Amino acid sequence: MQVDPRGQRFAAAITSVVLIGVLIQGSWVLLACQALVFALATFLGLRYAPYGLIFKALVRPRLGPPTELEDAAPPRFAQGVGLVFAVVGTAGYALGITWLGIGATALALAAAFLNAAFGFCLGCEMYLLVRRFSPKKHSDREVPA
């Protein structure tokens, strides 16, 4: 599946605003809602991501077609990374380990902001590193050397 990279930046911008709100309010409930957004994108795919649906319905028609598309796997992996940080942060806030909630939220915010402001997807880069260093799968027709 291919996705519009502008949608990923849009989602990262909304995520950044939500995470700033979490840091200001210290709200584990708001962070849990963001974790749900990450979970939907991670497990159901970017096609069902709430911020992506907003982009598709309200923003993309005003921008016109994209000049390029990108593979959905790296951004979907990035959503999973965001989910991990959001879950850890939610647990930190909910259990009264405020420093953990703040730290995990701040790291997720840094990654989201990099994508929103500069188009640099940290989770996507992590995906590429994981793929580079993961063992190669051989097809049935290949004979290992």
Side-chain angles (χ1 to χ4, degrees), residues 3-42:
V3 294
D4 185 340
R6 300 172 301 177
Q8 302 312 306
R9 289 184 77 175
F10 176 80
I14 294 176
T15 299
S16 295
V17 170
V18 170
L19 295 175
I20 289 168
V22 169
L23 289 172
I24 290 170
Q25 297 175 1
S27 171
W28 71 267
V29 174
L30 184 56
L31 189 53
C33 290
Q34 180 60 51
L36 178 60
V37 169
F38 285 140
L40 290 170
T42 301

Side-chain angles (χ1 to χ4, degrees), residues 48-72:
Y48 302 103
Y51 302 154
L53 293 172
I54 293 169
F55 175 80
K56 184 179 177 183
L58 302 177
V59 179
R60 187 171 178 182
R62 290 169 173 68
L63 298 177
T67 57
E68 63 181 330
L69 296 174
E70 65 183 21
D71 182 28

Side-chain angles (χ1 to χ4, degrees), residues 118-135:
F118 305 109
F120 181 78
C121 178
L122 190 58
C124 299
E125 296 300 321
M126 289 174 58
Y127 173 84
L128 296 175
L129 281 173
V130 168
R131 293 282 303 211
R132 174 178 280 166
F133 294 111
S134 65

